[in-house]
Amino acid sequence: MNVSTAILERRAEKMFDPAFTIRDDQVGELLEKALLSPTAFNIQNWRIIRVKDAALRQKIREVAWNQDKVTDASLLLVLCADLNAWVKEPARYWSGAPQMYQDILIPAIDAYYRDKPQVQRDEAMRSCGLLAMSIMLLAQEQGWHSCPMDGFDFDAVGKLINLPDDHVISMMLAVGRRTQDSFPRTGKLPLNELCFEDTF
Ligand SMILES: Cc1cc2nc3c(=O)[nH]c(=O)nc-3n(C[C@H](O)[C@H](O)[C@H](O)COP(=O)(O)O)c2cc1C
């Protein structure tokens, strides 16, 4: 499947087949590829919780608008980010790069994020957004389906997954096999309302 087809066919699916399973090695392969998505300064600030435990899924569902997909999808991923990834041995993000780049970029990471909580949080959401799209398109390539979700109580899910204090949740992703065709796309705005030349 090429990228255009994956983009055209991906939809936010509502209902997933609870009997459909995805093997661990398939999950690993998909995530390894998705984690090649870009992050600013290569800080790889995303962290992924794969929720396998059925009882935990049920508890999450109860704080996620009772959405069926939370329990029924083959995979439930909570995409999180470490707000302090930038300060955790940043040299490793550039190990193997030409020394000239290391000398410039490693101090630049510190200057970009230190004492800037809004920038740290923005970066978390940017990174997870890119990761989410990669996961959804890779799932599509496999013939699976997906749905991104922010319809849940973030604090409650954070407690359920033991989210560390310096981490945030960006969204959840359900991945699996849909049980019904999605309805036609709705309300897509025209290009000229969304895209401008040079300035607003
Ligand atoms: C960040 C984000 C959060 C979303 N949260 C939910 C959700 O909680 N439940 C749901 O059914 N759909 C959710 N959606 C799906 C959107 O409603 C859907 O992507 C949008 O209507 C466009 O439809 P399409 O993705 O099928 O083209 C979410 C999408 C995004 C990007």
Side-chain angles (χ1 to χ4, degrees), residues 59 73 83 93 178:
K59 284 184 190 157
L83 295 169
Y93 307 137
R178 70 183 181 196

Side-chain angles (χ1 to χ4, degrees), residues 154-163 169:
F154 279 63
D155 291 336
V157 172
K159 283 197 184 84
L160 287 167
I161 63 167
N162 293 331
L163 187 76
I169 297 175

Side-chain angles (χ1 to χ4, degrees), residues 10-14 64-65 67 69 136 146-152 170-172 182-183 185-186 188:
R10 183 216 58 81
R11 298 297 310 281
E13 303 296 347
K14 302 300 170 203
W65 304 354
Q67 298 191 60
K69 46 194 166 286
M136 291 189 283
S146 62
C147 188
M149 278 177 280
D150 63 7
F152 58 91
S170 171
M171 71 182 88
M172 296 200 290
S182 37
F183 50 77
R185 289 185 194 276
T186 61
K188 287 297 177 193

Side-chain angles (χ1 to χ4, degrees), residues 7 115 153 157 169 179:
I7 290 172
D115 300 326
D153 179 330
V157 172
I169 297 175
T179 55

Side-chain angles (χ1 to χ4, degrees), residues 8-53:
L8 289 169
E9 293 188 353
R10 183 216 58 81
R11 298 297 310 281
E13 303 296 347
K14 302 300 170 203
M15 305 300 283
F16 287 81
D17 178 359
F20 183 73
T21 54
I22 300 175
R23 295 192 316 271
D24 283 352
D25 63 297
Q26 293 175 304
V27 176
E29 195 178 321
L30 182 148
L31 292 180
E32 293 276 4
K33 286 179 187 163
L35 289 168
L36 297 176
S37 305
T39 51
F41 297 108
N42 198 31
I43 62 172
Q44 300 156 79
N45 47 346
W46 42 47
R47 303 289 181 265
I48 304 168
I49 295 289
R50 177 185 174 188
V51 185
K52 293 180 89 171
D53 182 77

Side-chain angles (χ1 to χ4, degrees), residues 23-154:
R23 295 192 316 271
D24 283 352
D25 63 297
Q26 293 175 304
V27 176
E29 195 178 321
L30 182 148
L31 292 180
E32 293 276 4
K33 286 179 187 163
L35 289 168
L36 297 176
S37 305
T39 51
F41 297 108
N42 198 31
I43 62 172
Q44 300 156 79
N45 47 346
W46 42 47
R47 303 289 181 265
I48 304 168
I49 295 289
R50 177 185 174 188
V51 185
K52 293 180 89 171
D53 182 77
L56 181 55
R57 288 253 208 137
Q58 181 57 39
K59 284 184 190 157
I60 293 176
R61 177 170 166 167
E62 285 161 19
V63 294
W65 304 354
N66 197 32
Q67 298 191 60
D68 307 65
K69 46 194 166 286
V70 173
T71 49
D72 294 353
S74 316
L75 270 184
L76 179 71
L77 305 175
V78 189
L79 302 192
C80 311
D82 182 347
L83 295 169
N84 286 323
W86 60 276
V87 83
K88 294 180 177 167
E89 299 176 61
R92 65 200 161 123
Y93 307 137
W94 289 94
S95 66
Q99 192 62 45
M100 187 183 75
Y101 286 97
Q102 298 195 33
D103 293 345
I104 295 168
L105 287 168
I106 296 164
I109 293 175
D110 200 280
Y112 196 86
Y113 297 105
R114 186 170 294 281
D115 300 326
K116 295 174 188 157
Q118 181 69 50
V119 178
Q120 295 164 14
R121 189 178 167 85
D122 289 349
E123 208 65 86
M125 300 305 156
R126 277 191 282 271
S127 297
C128 288
L130 290 163
L131 177 64
M133 197 67 213
S134 294
I135 293 172
M136 291 189 283
L137 295 182
L138 286 161
Q140 204 67 37
E141 183 188 44
Q142 294 299 315
W144 306 331
H145 304 102
S146 62
C147 188
M149 278 177 280
D150 63 7
F152 58 91
D153 179 330
F154 279 63

